[in-house]
Amino acid sequence: MNSIKNQVPNLGYLGIGHTVLLHYQLTPAQLIEQAVKRHEGMLTENGALAIDTGKFTGRSPKDRFIVEDEITSGNVWWSDINTRFDAGKFESLYSGIIAYLAGKEIFVRDAGICANEKYRTNIRVITETAYQNLFAHHLFIRPEITDASRQPEWTVIAAPGFMADPSTDGTRQPNFTIISFSKKIIIIGGTGYTGEIKKGIFSVLNFILPHDKQVLSMHCSANTGAKGDTALFFGLSGTGKTTLSADPTRRLIGDDEHGWSDYAVFNFEGGCYAKCAGLTPEKEPQIFKAIRYGALLENTNFFAGTRSINFSDISKTENTRVAYPLENVDNAAIPSLGPPPKNIFFLTADAFGILPPISRLTPEQAMYHFISGYTAKIAGTETGITEPKATFSACFGEAFLPLHPVVYAKLLGQKIKEHRVTVWLINTGWTGGAYGTGQRIKLAYTRAIITAALNGNLNDVNYRTLTSFNLAVPESCPDVPENILDPRRSWSNSEAYDEAESNLALLFTENFSKYTFNGSEEIANANPAATINI
């Protein structure tokens, strides 16, 4: 059964024969119909499809592998993040997943990645389930014309029902995501979590663009103002990356994955994959409005006896998600690209209450804090966490970096200097004390700070220096109390603040020490209150 008459993609290059029942390029309506028919999910009251992803409700980073071959051997940053996978084992596992799909219904979608036509890459996503193919429709760029006869540059095969045998296949568990750069194939098995598809492609671009094209790949959101001024927002989960980039006065370029070429910032994707735990129309109006017919909700719950989603119910997972096309956002930039940024914001939710709500970074400090990728987890976010815990993720996306973090940091530094970008470190976390003692910085203050930075209102104010971190902190900002801007003044006990500040600076130093072997002196010298020998 084929969804487009006279268009039957030739899957011979993958070894997939004619025994499969193939659905090609189905529309969202057709995919929803198939998903409901196959008992993969249920319709909500507004026509969105609600599904459960099964055992895995998030990514499994320890089960992501890269095939070691002539392309990757001397280039990939082999580490706990990037685990080598034997080429022979890949061939065997690949044959297994192809054999598993024989005789089954599969869903095939041709799409693109990279909104900038110069870097556009054609991909084919083959899935065992209809809902995974709906996800691919939303998240990747939808071509106006489809040519089924053309072999794509990259292929993703996702089969949740296929399990590996760790004792013979070389995997850690039955689930896996394996990337082969020489074959240009990603195989995913044993997990129905759609984020593995998205982040598999992101990992590919994180290798190809910086290594081959000198394009900086970034885990960030991006928007642009009426005057064409682009802003980038980097940050780990819970820091406000999606919230702060969703500004009704600015156009959204994208919420998660972007490239920065010589002349443009561009979205890798054609949609958004937003968290929706605790979602309300007041807190996140753009996301709430985007959840309409065709959207894909993952691992959410209904209010009892209804088809209405209870976004506060996170009994399945805190990582409830929704996927939808970028066009569902009222003020989306279409096509989703803009000029090089004028401002970059590094977001951190500092639960120790040490960092100021805003500070201005030098290019060297920007590279340092980019490599550090700091935030803090608080009690209740993970089992066993009873007090604030510092978390570092290189380049604000370490789990997806095939190359060494310093490669991305140096490329960022070059672009910052070339385009004279102003970089800001924004604390969306605590002030007046650590979590449990202090207060979370009000979102209204953070929005006022971001607005002031974008409008140039902080260009001519006086700055003071935060001692241990050597950060330049503005002494005033419109609509923000001055005592909030100086974290030491916001604490009732200044000596306690000084001790906590020194402790946090030491955590930064200890984390950064593992990168210095491949770094540079200018980055190392930006380390807070420390001189590191290269």
Side-chain angles (χ1 to χ4, degrees):
M1 176 181 178
N2 301 303
S3 65
I4 299 181
K5 188 177 181 180
N6 299 325
Q7 288 214 36
V8 182
N10 181 1
L11 303 182
Y13 73 100
L14 298 171
I16 297 178
H18 297 292
T19 58
V20 297
L21 185 59
L22 189 154
H23 300 277
Y24 180 61
Q25 220 72 356
L26 294 189
T27 65
Q30 291 171 319
L31 287 167
I32 290 172
E33 181 182 8
Q34 286 290 328
V36 172
K37 175 183 175 183
R38 293 155 55 95
H39 306 290
E40 294 176 6
M42 300 173 63
L43 284 177
T44 67
E45 63 181 6
N46 67 352
L49 177 67
I51 61 96
D52 291 346
T53 60
K55 176 182 178 181
F56 293 95
T57 58
R59 290 183 305 100
S60 185
K62 292 184 178 180
D63 298 300
R64 167 190 169 277
F65 305 91
I66 296 177
V67 176
E68 185 175 19
D69 54 31
E70 65 277 6
I71 296 175
T72 61
S73 180
N75 293 311
V76 165
W77 175 41
W78 301 111
S79 61
D80 292 341
I81 300 300
N82 300 305
T83 305
R84 292 178 171 89
F85 201 82
D86 179 76
K89 293 285 188 182
F90 176 82
E91 293 291 348
S92 176
L93 197 54
Y94 177 80
S95 296
I97 203 169
I98 295 302
Y100 168 81
L101 292 175
K104 288 186 168 58
E105 278 187 286
I106 62 172
F107 298 84
V108 181
R109 177 157 305 280
D110 285 339
I113 46 178
C114 298
N116 188 330
E117 291 285 353
K118 182 177 179 179
Y119 304 104
R120 178 69 54 83
T121 300
N122 298 312
I123 64 171
R124 177 167 288 165
V125 183
I126 299 172
T127 64
E128 183 182 1
T129 65
Y131 81 80
Q132 289 174 303
N133 216 258
L134 180 63
F135 175 85
H137 172 275
H138 292 344
L139 263 292
F140 301 123
I141 296 172
R142 296 160 290 281
E144 293 183 5
I145 300 175
T146 302
D147 183 0
S149 65
R150 182 172 62 176
Q151 183 172 321
E153 295 173 71
W154 275 83
T155 301
V156 182
I157 302 174
F162 177 77
M163 306 290 176
D165 182 350
S167 64
T168 58
D169 290 328
T171 60
R172 190 181 72 96
Q173 295 189 133
N175 61 295
F176 58 86
T177 297
I178 308 175
I179 303 170
S180 172
F181 281 91
S182 59
K183 300 289 186 182
K184 295 188 175 183
I185 291 174
I186 303 171
I187 56 174
I188 302 170
T191 172
Y193 182 64
T194 57
E196 298 285 9
I197 299 172
K198 166 188 167 73
K199 293 305 183 183
I201 287 294
F202 187 35
S203 297
V204 167
L205 291 174
N206 275 340
F207 181 91
I208 293 173
L209 292 179
H211 186 266
D212 299 341
K213 311 289 187 181
Q214 286 298 294
V215 171
L216 177 62
S217 53
M218 305 176 293
H219 183 212
C220 69
S221 57
N223 64 26
T224 184
K227 297 180 180 179
D229 58 306
T230 298
L232 305 180
F233 299 80
F234 291 85
L236 301 177
S237 179
T239 60
K241 178 166 61 76
T242 300
T243 300
L244 294 171
S245 62
D247 185 333
T249 68
R250 298 172 65 84
R251 293 191 302 154
L252 181 69
I253 297 174
D255 77 331
D256 199 45
E257 299 169 4
H258 295 83
W260 183 357
S261 67
D262 290 339
Y263 59 91
V265 166
F266 57 94
N267 197 346
F268 288 162
E269 303 175 301
C272 299
Y273 190 43
K275 289 188 175 182
C276 52
L279 183 68
T280 66
E282 294 76 26
K283 288 168 57 178
E284 302 278 7
Q286 287 186 321
I287 296 174
F288 195 89
K289 288 175 64 178
I291 303 176
R292 50 182 185 260
Y293 179 80
L296 177 67
L297 287 157
E298 295 183 354
N299 303 309
T300 54
N301 290 284
F302 293 109
F303 284 104
T306 76
R307 291 294 182 92
S308 177
I309 296 295
N310 180 357
F311 291 108
S312 296
D313 185 346
I314 54 173
S315 57
K316 294 176 185 175
T317 177
E318 291 184 4
N319 189 38
T320 54
R321 294 274 183 168
V322 60
Y324 49 83
L326 195 61
E327 288 83 356
N328 280 26
V329 178
D330 289 340
N331 61 334
I334 306 294
S336 49
L337 70 169
K342 291 186 179 297
N343 290 277
I344 292 176
F345 300 95
F346 294 159
L347 308 176
T348 177
D350 176 26
F352 298 98
I354 300 303
L355 297 178
I358 183 168
S359 50
R360 188 173 59 192
L361 304 180
T362 66
E364 292 75 26
Q365 287 176 321
M367 288 185 280
Y368 176 85
H369 283 278
F370 185 62
I371 290 178
S372 297
Y374 164 71
T375 193
K377 295 178 180 178
I378 59 174
T381 56
E382 288 185 9
T383 302
I385 295 180
T386 57
E387 59 184 20
K389 180 181 178 181
T391 301
F392 298 91
S393 181
C395 309
F396 300 96
E398 184 173 307
F400 324 117
L401 304 182
L403 305 175
H404 194 282
V406 171
V407 173
Y408 305 94
K410 287 183 175 179
L411 190 52
L412 174 71
Q414 293 170 12
K415 292 185 178 297
I416 287 172
K417 293 174 183 177
E418 178 185 354
H419 297 283
R420 299 181 179 181
V421 184
T422 304
V423 184
W424 308 91
L425 181 64
I426 304 292
N427 177 18
T428 63
W430 275 257
T431 187
Y435 170 79
T437 301
Q439 305 82 37
R440 184 116 197 212
I441 298 170
K442 292 181 180 179
L443 179 58
Y445 292 159
T446 303
R447 289 194 184 278
I449 286 168
I450 297 290
T451 299
L454 290 172
N455 292 342
N457 294 334
L458 301 180
N459 292 347
D460 299 320
V461 302
N462 293 326
Y463 282 75
R464 66 169 65 91
T465 300
L466 184 68
T467 308
S468 291
F469 286 82
N470 196 32
L471 296 173
V473 181
E475 294 184 354
S476 63
C477 177
D479 301 318
V480 180
E482 288 188 10
N483 68 310
I484 295 291
L485 296 172
D486 185 343
R488 192 173 188 269
R489 287 173 56 192
S490 71
W491 282 50
S492 59
N493 186 333
S494 59
E495 291 182 357
Y497 171 85
D498 292 340
E499 181 181 357
E501 182 189 33
S502 296
N503 290 338
L504 182 59
L506 181 60
L507 293 177
F508 269 82
T509 301
E510 291 174 346
N511 172 73
F512 191 77
S513 63
K514 62 178 178 274
Y515 300 120
T516 56
F517 72 91
N518 195 30
S520 67
E521 186 174 358
E522 62 178 2
I523 302 176
N525 286 342
N527 186 64
T531 300
I532 299 177
N533 295 322
I534 300 298

